[in-house]
Amino acid sequence: MTATLDPIDRGIIKATQAGLPLVAEPYAAVAEAVGLTEAEVIDRMSAMQARGIIRRIAVAPNHYALGMTANGMSVWDVADDRISDLGARIGALPYVTHCYQRPRALPDWPYNLFAMLHGESQEEVEAKRAEVASILGAACRGHDILYSTRILKKTGLRLRDE
Amino acid sequence: MTRPSRTVLPPEALDPTDRAILNALQDGFPLTPCPYDDAAAALGITGEDLIARLSRLRDLGAITRFGPFFDAAAMGGAFCLCAMAVPARRFDEVLTKVNAHPEVAHNYERTHALNMWFVLATDSPEGIERTAQAIEGETGLKVMLFPKLEEYFIGFRVQA
């Protein structure tokens, strides 16, 4: 790790990366685990949030359990001079998560915009794909969608022990 | 949880309060001494009830995680989406080799010639290239790197 993360921040991350304790005073519980005061933990976590190290403290819903059983990674070949404004529009759609510009890998991979589309069925995802296609219009030269057939691993970020 | 539940909950498993919790807590959670009390007040329930419901939602598999979400890049590390075209007959062998790397945070099989898509999360930007090269050496297959150039997504929301 670089200097952006000192041992105290690291300790807090390690104590919370599996989740926030479900007790009335969770930051006090974290503080006890890492040998700090509650106020220090709250200050440190606020600072990490301000620096973008903590993106947010939140619930991650299980899309599948909530009925969003279909998801497709849609990929689009968007004109370079339009991708900034169109990417922002696609990212703002309520059924889109994880919308990024990524490099093309020519000749095999012409796509530079990636957007995960979620729905209750593959038909619904395909309908949403058509909506995205109509928003992109002539700025899009081609697209594809990759459905996931199996989750092979899902652990999320884990700091290694030092 | 390494493999999130692939069971769809019956609609009656969640009541309107559960759904309100799922919707509200996707946006954020307070950094205050009694955050459950504070978050619960906005939902018209007690902190104790919120804790009990979150615990049940987790046990049911309605939520995969509750807590801080970290950005590896902001910590001086890096994330990178990677893809490989793995021949069907070698899929399990290659999967074992790829997943053996702790840097592989997520891995999905997808319908495409590029059929294995995974995310590398490493302590340093150099770690991405190093891990990708190690996987190429072990498998003899090319690892294509798709680092993010720009992020457009506004939120990771699902309407519960």
PDB file of all heavy atoms in Angstrom, chain B residues 110-140:
ATOM      1  N   ARG B 110     -19.298 -15.788 -19.067  1.00  0.00           N
ATOM      2  CA  ARG B 110     -20.243 -15.044 -19.906  1.00  0.00           C
ATOM      3  C   ARG B 110     -20.342 -15.647 -21.302  1.00  0.00           C
ATOM      4  O   ARG B 110     -19.434 -16.321 -21.765  1.00  0.00           O
ATOM      5  CB  ARG B 110     -19.820 -13.569 -20.020  1.00  0.00           C
ATOM      6  CG  ARG B 110     -19.911 -12.831 -18.701  1.00  0.00           C
ATOM      7  CD  ARG B 110     -19.786 -11.323 -18.874  1.00  0.00           C
ATOM      8  NE  ARG B 110     -19.871 -10.655 -17.591  1.00  0.00           N
ATOM      9  CZ  ARG B 110     -21.020 -10.346 -16.984  1.00  0.00           C
ATOM     10  NH1 ARG B 110     -22.178 -10.628 -17.566  1.00  0.00           N
ATOM     11  NH2 ARG B 110     -21.013  -9.756 -15.810  1.00  0.00           N
ATOM     12  N   THR B 111     -21.488 -15.348 -21.935  1.00  0.00           N
ATOM     13  CA  THR B 111     -21.782 -15.873 -23.265  1.00  0.00           C
ATOM     14  C   THR B 111     -21.057 -15.047 -24.327  1.00  0.00           C
ATOM     15  O   THR B 111     -21.565 -14.030 -24.786  1.00  0.00           O
ATOM     16  CB  THR B 111     -23.304 -15.768 -23.531  1.00  0.00           C
ATOM     17  OG1 THR B 111     -23.696 -14.405 -23.244  1.00  0.00           O
ATOM     18  CG2 THR B 111     -24.096 -16.703 -22.656  1.00  0.00           C
ATOM     19  N   HIS B 112     -19.866 -15.458 -24.697  1.00  0.00           N
ATOM     20  CA  HIS B 112     -19.091 -14.754 -25.712  1.00  0.00           C
ATOM     21  C   HIS B 112     -17.837 -15.591 -25.947  1.00  0.00           C
ATOM     22  O   HIS B 112     -17.506 -16.460 -25.131  1.00  0.00           O
ATOM     23  CB  HIS B 112     -18.695 -13.356 -25.194  1.00  0.00           C
ATOM     24  CG  HIS B 112     -18.152 -12.436 -26.261  1.00  0.00           C
ATOM     25  ND1 HIS B 112     -16.815 -12.379 -26.572  1.00  0.00           N
ATOM     26  CD2 HIS B 112     -18.760 -11.544 -27.078  1.00  0.00           C
ATOM     27  CE1 HIS B 112     -16.636 -11.488 -27.549  1.00  0.00           C
ATOM     28  NE2 HIS B 112     -17.805 -10.966 -27.865  1.00  0.00           N
ATOM     29  N   ALA B 113     -17.142 -15.327 -27.072  1.00  0.00           N
ATOM     30  CA  ALA B 113     -15.850 -15.983 -27.276  1.00  0.00           C
ATOM     31  C   ALA B 113     -14.928 -15.647 -26.101  1.00  0.00           C
ATOM     32  O   ALA B 113     -14.161 -16.493 -25.625  1.00  0.00           O
ATOM     33  CB  ALA B 113     -15.230 -15.536 -28.600  1.00  0.00           C
ATOM     34  N   LEU B 114     -14.998 -14.404 -25.628  1.00  0.00           N
ATOM     35  CA  LEU B 114     -14.331 -14.035 -24.370  1.00  0.00           C
ATOM     36  C   LEU B 114     -15.284 -14.493 -23.265  1.00  0.00           C
ATOM     37  O   LEU B 114     -16.238 -13.808 -22.939  1.00  0.00           O
ATOM     38  CB  LEU B 114     -14.096 -12.527 -24.296  1.00  0.00           C
ATOM     39  CG  LEU B 114     -13.060 -11.954 -25.271  1.00  0.00           C
ATOM     40  CD1 LEU B 114     -13.096 -10.426 -25.255  1.00  0.00           C
ATOM     41  CD2 LEU B 114     -11.657 -12.447 -24.930  1.00  0.00           C
ATOM     42  N   ASN B 115     -15.033 -15.685 -22.734  1.00  0.00           N
ATOM     43  CA  ASN B 115     -16.047 -16.317 -21.875  1.00  0.00           C
ATOM     44  C   ASN B 115     -15.723 -16.256 -20.388  1.00  0.00           C
ATOM     45  O   ASN B 115     -16.527 -16.681 -19.566  1.00  0.00           O
ATOM     46  CB  ASN B 115     -16.268 -17.770 -22.307  1.00  0.00           C
ATOM     47  CG  ASN B 115     -14.980 -18.573 -22.351  1.00  0.00           C
ATOM     48  OD1 ASN B 115     -13.884 -18.027 -22.194  1.00  0.00           O
ATOM     49  ND2 ASN B 115     -15.100 -19.861 -22.570  1.00  0.00           N
ATOM     50  N   MET B 116     -14.549 -15.733 -20.024  1.00  0.00           N
ATOM     51  CA  MET B 116     -14.240 -15.597 -18.598  1.00  0.00           C
ATOM     52  C   MET B 116     -13.875 -14.140 -18.321  1.00  0.00           C
ATOM     53  O   MET B 116     -12.940 -13.605 -18.912  1.00  0.00           O
ATOM     54  CB  MET B 116     -13.085 -16.527 -18.198  1.00  0.00           C
ATOM     55  CG  MET B 116     -12.861 -16.567 -16.680  1.00  0.00           C
ATOM     56  SD  MET B 116     -11.489 -17.636 -16.163  1.00  0.00           S
ATOM     57  CE  MET B 116     -12.182 -19.266 -16.427  1.00  0.00           C
ATOM     58  N   TRP B 117     -14.672 -13.506 -17.455  1.00  0.00           N
ATOM     59  CA  TRP B 117     -14.487 -12.088 -17.144  1.00  0.00           C
ATOM     60  C   TRP B 117     -14.255 -11.949 -15.654  1.00  0.00           C
ATOM     61  O   TRP B 117     -15.094 -12.364 -14.853  1.00  0.00           O
ATOM     62  CB  TRP B 117     -15.733 -11.287 -17.552  1.00  0.00           C
ATOM     63  CG  TRP B 117     -15.883 -11.165 -19.040  1.00  0.00           C
ATOM     64  CD1 TRP B 117     -16.353 -12.119 -19.892  1.00  0.00           C
ATOM     65  CD2 TRP B 117     -15.531 -10.025 -19.845  1.00  0.00           C
ATOM     66  NE1 TRP B 117     -16.323 -11.641 -21.183  1.00  0.00           N
ATOM     67  CE2 TRP B 117     -15.825 -10.365 -21.178  1.00  0.00           C
ATOM     68  CE3 TRP B 117     -15.002  -8.764 -19.561  1.00  0.00           C
ATOM     69  CZ2 TRP B 117     -15.606  -9.478 -22.235  1.00  0.00           C
ATOM     70  CZ3 TRP B 117     -14.782  -7.879 -20.607  1.00  0.00           C
ATOM     71  CH2 TRP B 117     -15.087  -8.244 -21.928  1.00  0.00           C
ATOM     72  N   PHE B 118     -13.124 -11.374 -15.288  1.00  0.00           N
ATOM     73  CA  PHE B 118     -12.849 -11.228 -13.858  1.00  0.00           C
ATOM     74  C   PHE B 118     -12.281  -9.847 -13.562  1.00  0.00           C
ATOM     75  O   PHE B 118     -11.814  -9.138 -14.444  1.00  0.00           O
ATOM     76  CB  PHE B 118     -11.916 -12.332 -13.356  1.00  0.00           C
ATOM     77  CG  PHE B 118     -10.641 -12.502 -14.123  1.00  0.00           C
ATOM     78  CD1 PHE B 118      -9.490 -11.820 -13.747  1.00  0.00           C
ATOM     79  CD2 PHE B 118     -10.577 -13.358 -15.219  1.00  0.00           C
ATOM     80  CE1 PHE B 118      -8.301 -11.981 -14.452  1.00  0.00           C
ATOM     81  CE2 PHE B 118      -9.399 -13.526 -15.933  1.00  0.00           C
ATOM     82  CZ  PHE B 118      -8.262 -12.829 -15.544  1.00  0.00           C
ATOM     83  N   VAL B 119     -12.370  -9.486 -12.293  1.00  0.00           N
ATOM     84  CA  VAL B 119     -11.855  -8.205 -11.820  1.00  0.00           C
ATOM     85  C   VAL B 119     -10.641  -8.474 -10.948  1.00  0.00           C
ATOM     86  O   VAL B 119     -10.708  -9.297 -10.028  1.00  0.00           O
ATOM     87  CB  VAL B 119     -12.929  -7.440 -11.015  1.00  0.00           C
ATOM     88  CG1 VAL B 119     -12.327  -6.206 -10.348  1.00  0.00           C
ATOM     89  CG2 VAL B 119     -14.084  -7.044 -11.911  1.00  0.00           C
ATOM     90  N   LEU B 120      -9.538  -7.800 -11.267  1.00  0.00           N
ATOM     91  CA  LEU B 120      -8.356  -7.851 -10.404  1.00  0.00           C
ATOM     92  C   LEU B 120      -8.380  -6.625  -9.495  1.00  0.00           C
ATOM     93  O   LEU B 120      -8.631  -5.513  -9.952  1.00  0.00           O
ATOM     94  CB  LEU B 120      -7.070  -7.825 -11.238  1.00  0.00           C
ATOM     95  CG  LEU B 120      -6.784  -9.035 -12.117  1.00  0.00           C
ATOM     96  CD1 LEU B 120      -5.489  -8.817 -12.907  1.00  0.00           C
ATOM     97  CD2 LEU B 120      -6.691 -10.305 -11.290  1.00  0.00           C
ATOM     98  N   ALA B 121      -8.138  -6.835  -8.208  1.00  0.00           N
ATOM     99  CA  ALA B 121      -8.007  -5.733  -7.245  1.00  0.00           C
ATOM    100  C   ALA B 121      -6.646  -5.907  -6.583  1.00  0.00           C
ATOM    101  O   ALA B 121      -6.387  -6.931  -5.959  1.00  0.00           O
ATOM    102  CB  ALA B 121      -9.116  -5.795  -6.208  1.00  0.00           C
ATOM    103  N   THR B 122      -5.776  -4.920  -6.782  1.00  0.00           N
ATOM    104  CA  THR B 122      -4.406  -5.083  -6.293  1.00  0.00           C
ATOM    105  C   THR B 122      -3.976  -3.880  -5.461  1.00  0.00           C
ATOM    106  O   THR B 122      -4.566  -2.809  -5.548  1.00  0.00           O
ATOM    107  CB  THR B 122      -3.407  -5.256  -7.468  1.00  0.00           C
ATOM    108  OG1 THR B 122      -3.474  -4.093  -8.295  1.00  0.00           O
ATOM    109  CG2 THR B 122      -3.735  -6.482  -8.289  1.00  0.00           C
ATOM    110  N   ASP B 123      -2.930  -4.091  -4.660  1.00  0.00           N
ATOM    111  CA  ASP B 123      -2.409  -3.046  -3.764  1.00  0.00           C
ATOM    112  C   ASP B 123      -1.761  -1.901  -4.523  1.00  0.00           C
ATOM    113  O   ASP B 123      -1.599  -0.813  -3.991  1.00  0.00           O
ATOM    114  CB  ASP B 123      -1.337  -3.642  -2.834  1.00  0.00           C
ATOM    115  CG  ASP B 123      -1.966  -4.450  -1.720  1.00  0.00           C
ATOM    116  OD1 ASP B 123      -3.188  -4.543  -1.687  1.00  0.00           O
ATOM    117  OD2 ASP B 123      -1.210  -4.974  -0.884  1.00  0.00           O
ATOM    118  N   SER B 124      -1.294  -2.168  -5.736  1.00  0.00           N
ATOM    119  CA  SER B 124      -0.578  -1.137  -6.484  1.00  0.00           C
ATOM    120  C   SER B 124      -0.973  -1.253  -7.951  1.00  0.00           C
ATOM    121  O   SER B 124      -1.396  -2.319  -8.400  1.00  0.00           O
ATOM    122  CB  SER B 124       0.934  -1.360  -6.371  1.00  0.00           C
ATOM    123  OG  SER B 124       1.283  -2.549  -7.057  1.00  0.00           O
ATOM    124  N   PRO B 125      -0.835  -0.149  -8.705  1.00  0.00           N
ATOM    125  CA  PRO B 125      -1.161  -0.226 -10.136  1.00  0.00           C
ATOM    126  C   PRO B 125      -0.331  -1.299 -10.862  1.00  0.00           C
ATOM    127  O   PRO B 125      -0.833  -1.966 -11.766  1.00  0.00           O
ATOM    128  CB  PRO B 125      -0.829   1.179 -10.653  1.00  0.00           C
ATOM    129  CG  PRO B 125      -0.916   2.063  -9.450  1.00  0.00           C
ATOM    130  CD  PRO B 125      -0.487   1.216  -8.282  1.00  0.00           C
ATOM    131  N   GLU B 126       0.921  -1.471 -10.433  1.00  0.00           N
ATOM    132  CA  GLU B 126       1.781  -2.469 -11.093  1.00  0.00           C
ATOM    133  C   GLU B 126       1.262  -3.886 -10.866  1.00  0.00           C
ATOM    134  O   GLU B 126       1.563  -4.799 -11.632  1.00  0.00           O
ATOM    135  CB  GLU B 126       3.221  -2.392 -10.564  1.00  0.00           C
ATOM    136  CG  GLU B 126       3.896  -1.035 -10.701  1.00  0.00           C
ATOM    137  CD  GLU B 126       3.395  -0.009  -9.680  1.00  0.00           C
ATOM    138  OE1 GLU B 126       3.289  -0.349  -8.490  1.00  0.00           O
ATOM    139  OE2 GLU B 126       3.068   1.128 -10.096  1.00  0.00           O
ATOM    140  N   GLY B 127       0.521  -4.058  -9.771  1.00  0.00           N
ATOM    141  CA  GLY B 127       0.010  -5.394  -9.439  1.00  0.00           C
ATOM    142  C   GLY B 127      -0.912  -5.958 -10.501  1.00  0.00           C
ATOM    143  O   GLY B 127      -0.998  -7.175 -10.672  1.00  0.00           O
ATOM    144  N   ILE B 128      -1.597  -5.090 -11.236  1.00  0.00           N
ATOM    145  CA  ILE B 128      -2.525  -5.554 -12.272  1.00  0.00           C
ATOM    146  C   ILE B 128      -1.737  -6.284 -13.362  1.00  0.00           C
ATOM    147  O   ILE B 128      -2.018  -7.441 -13.701  1.00  0.00           O
ATOM    148  CB  ILE B 128      -3.298  -4.362 -12.897  1.00  0.00           C
ATOM    149  CG1 ILE B 128      -4.116  -3.630 -11.832  1.00  0.00           C
ATOM    150  CG2 ILE B 128      -4.143  -4.830 -14.068  1.00  0.00           C
ATOM    151  CD1 ILE B 128      -5.274  -4.391 -11.256  1.00  0.00           C
ATOM    152  N   GLU B 129      -0.732  -5.584 -13.896  1.00  0.00           N
ATOM    153  CA  GLU B 129       0.081  -6.157 -14.976  1.00  0.00           C
ATOM    154  C   GLU B 129       0.785  -7.437 -14.494  1.00  0.00           C
ATOM    155  O   GLU B 129       0.830  -8.439 -15.204  1.00  0.00           O
ATOM    156  CB  GLU B 129       1.108  -5.102 -15.423  1.00  0.00           C
ATOM    157  CG  GLU B 129       1.808  -5.410 -16.722  1.00  0.00           C
ATOM    158  CD  GLU B 129       0.856  -5.415 -17.920  1.00  0.00           C
ATOM    159  OE1 GLU B 129      -0.081  -4.594 -17.969  1.00  0.00           O
ATOM    160  OE2 GLU B 129       1.063  -6.274 -18.789  1.00  0.00           O
ATOM    161  N   ARG B 130       1.291  -7.376 -13.265  1.00  0.00           N
ATOM    162  CA  ARG B 130       2.042  -8.523 -12.727  1.00  0.00           C
ATOM    163  C   ARG B 130       1.129  -9.744 -12.599  1.00  0.00           C
ATOM    164  O   ARG B 130       1.497 -10.850 -12.985  1.00  0.00           O
ATOM    165  CB  ARG B 130       2.618  -8.130 -11.357  1.00  0.00           C
ATOM    166  CG  ARG B 130       3.627  -9.093 -10.791  1.00  0.00           C
ATOM    167  CD  ARG B 130       4.425  -8.460  -9.651  1.00  0.00           C
ATOM    168  NE  ARG B 130       3.554  -8.002  -8.573  1.00  0.00           N
ATOM    169  CZ  ARG B 130       3.545  -6.763  -8.099  1.00  0.00           C
ATOM    170  NH1 ARG B 130       4.354  -5.848  -8.592  1.00  0.00           N
ATOM    171  NH2 ARG B 130       2.720  -6.439  -7.121  1.00  0.00           N
ATOM    172  N   THR B 131      -0.080  -9.540 -12.088  1.00  0.00           N
ATOM    173  CA  THR B 131      -0.993 -10.671 -11.903  1.00  0.00           C
ATOM    174  C   THR B 131      -1.460 -11.204 -13.259  1.00  0.00           C
ATOM    175  O   THR B 131      -1.540 -12.417 -13.472  1.00  0.00           O
ATOM    176  CB  THR B 131      -2.210 -10.243 -11.050  1.00  0.00           C
ATOM    177  OG1 THR B 131      -1.732  -9.624  -9.861  1.00  0.00           O
ATOM    178  CG2 THR B 131      -3.069 -11.433 -10.691  1.00  0.00           C
ATOM    179  N   ALA B 132      -1.749 -10.276 -14.179  1.00  0.00           N
ATOM    180  CA  ALA B 132      -2.189 -10.708 -15.516  1.00  0.00           C
ATOM    181  C   ALA B 132      -1.096 -11.534 -16.197  1.00  0.00           C
ATOM    182  O   ALA B 132      -1.372 -12.570 -16.807  1.00  0.00           O
ATOM    183  CB  ALA B 132      -2.556  -9.497 -16.365  1.00  0.00           C
ATOM    184  N   GLN B 133       0.139 -11.082 -16.053  1.00  0.00           N
ATOM    185  CA  GLN B 133       1.246 -11.830 -16.669  1.00  0.00           C
ATOM    186  C   GLN B 133       1.417 -13.199 -16.015  1.00  0.00           C
ATOM    187  O   GLN B 133       1.709 -14.188 -16.687  1.00  0.00           O
ATOM    188  CB  GLN B 133       2.549 -11.029 -16.577  1.00  0.00           C
ATOM    189  CG  GLN B 133       2.622  -9.951 -17.651  1.00  0.00           C
ATOM    190  CD  GLN B 133       3.797  -9.005 -17.469  1.00  0.00           C
ATOM    191  OE1 GLN B 133       4.618  -9.175 -16.562  1.00  0.00           O
ATOM    192  NE2 GLN B 133       3.874  -7.997 -18.321  1.00  0.00           N
ATOM    193  N   ALA B 134       1.224 -13.254 -14.696  1.00  0.00           N
ATOM    194  CA  ALA B 134       1.339 -14.546 -14.010  1.00  0.00           C
ATOM    195  C   ALA B 134       0.276 -15.513 -14.527  1.00  0.00           C
ATOM    196  O   ALA B 134       0.555 -16.687 -14.796  1.00  0.00           O
ATOM    197  CB  ALA B 134       1.195 -14.349 -12.501  1.00  0.00           C
ATOM    198  N   ILE B 135      -0.953 -15.008 -14.711  1.00  0.00           N
ATOM    199  CA  ILE B 135      -2.033 -15.873 -15.209  1.00  0.00           C
ATOM    200  C   ILE B 135      -1.727 -16.324 -16.642  1.00  0.00           C
ATOM    201  O   ILE B 135      -1.935 -17.491 -16.997  1.00  0.00           O
ATOM    202  CB  ILE B 135      -3.388 -15.135 -15.118  1.00  0.00           C
ATOM    203  CG1 ILE B 135      -3.775 -14.952 -13.641  1.00  0.00           C
ATOM    204  CG2 ILE B 135      -4.471 -15.891 -15.885  1.00  0.00           C
ATOM    205  CD1 ILE B 135      -4.981 -14.054 -13.410  1.00  0.00           C
ATOM    206  N   GLU B 136      -1.200 -15.406 -17.463  1.00  0.00           N
ATOM    207  CA  GLU B 136      -0.835 -15.789 -18.837  1.00  0.00           C
ATOM    208  C   GLU B 136       0.233 -16.876 -18.820  1.00  0.00           C
ATOM    209  O   GLU B 136       0.169 -17.841 -19.580  1.00  0.00           O
ATOM    210  CB  GLU B 136      -0.338 -14.564 -19.613  1.00  0.00           C
ATOM    211  CG  GLU B 136      -1.457 -13.595 -19.969  1.00  0.00           C
ATOM    212  CD  GLU B 136      -1.002 -12.448 -20.865  1.00  0.00           C
ATOM    213  OE1 GLU B 136       0.215 -12.149 -20.877  1.00  0.00           O
ATOM    214  OE2 GLU B 136      -1.864 -11.850 -21.530  1.00  0.00           O
ATOM    215  N   GLY B 137       1.213 -16.726 -17.917  1.00  0.00           N
ATOM    216  CA  GLY B 137       2.285 -17.718 -17.828  1.00  0.00           C
ATOM    217  C   GLY B 137       1.764 -19.081 -17.396  1.00  0.00           C
ATOM    218  O   GLY B 137       2.192 -20.114 -17.911  1.00  0.00           O
ATOM    219  N   GLU B 138       0.814 -19.073 -16.467  1.00  0.00           N
ATOM    220  CA  GLU B 138       0.299 -20.341 -15.926  1.00  0.00           C
ATOM    221  C   GLU B 138      -0.648 -21.040 -16.886  1.00  0.00           C
ATOM    222  O   GLU B 138      -0.772 -22.264 -16.864  1.00  0.00           O
ATOM    223  CB  GLU B 138      -0.455 -20.071 -14.614  1.00  0.00           C
ATOM    224  CG  GLU B 138       0.451 -19.682 -13.457  1.00  0.00           C
ATOM    225  CD  GLU B 138      -0.306 -18.933 -12.361  1.00  0.00           C
ATOM    226  OE1 GLU B 138      -1.557 -18.961 -12.368  1.00  0.00           O
ATOM    227  OE2 GLU B 138       0.350 -18.316 -11.521  1.00  0.00           O
ATOM    228  N   THR B 139      -1.359 -20.256 -17.707  1.00  0.00           N
ATOM    229  CA  THR B 139      -2.403 -20.849 -18.553  1.00  0.00           C
ATOM    230  C   THR B 139      -2.018 -20.895 -20.027  1.00  0.00           C
ATOM    231  O   THR B 139      -2.637 -21.631 -20.794  1.00  0.00           O
ATOM    232  CB  THR B 139      -3.715 -20.038 -18.447  1.00  0.00           C
ATOM    233  OG1 THR B 139      -3.468 -18.706 -18.934  1.00  0.00           O
ATOM    234  CG2 THR B 139      -4.212 -19.986 -17.008  1.00  0.00           C
ATOM    235  N   GLY B 140      -1.037 -20.095 -20.430  1.00  0.00           N
ATOM    236  CA  GLY B 140      -0.703 -20.004 -21.846  1.00  0.00           C
ATOM    237  C   GLY B 140      -1.764 -19.263 -22.648  1.00  0.00           C
ATOM    238  O   GLY B 140      -1.757 -19.296 -23.880  1.00  0.00           O
TER     239      GLY B 140
END
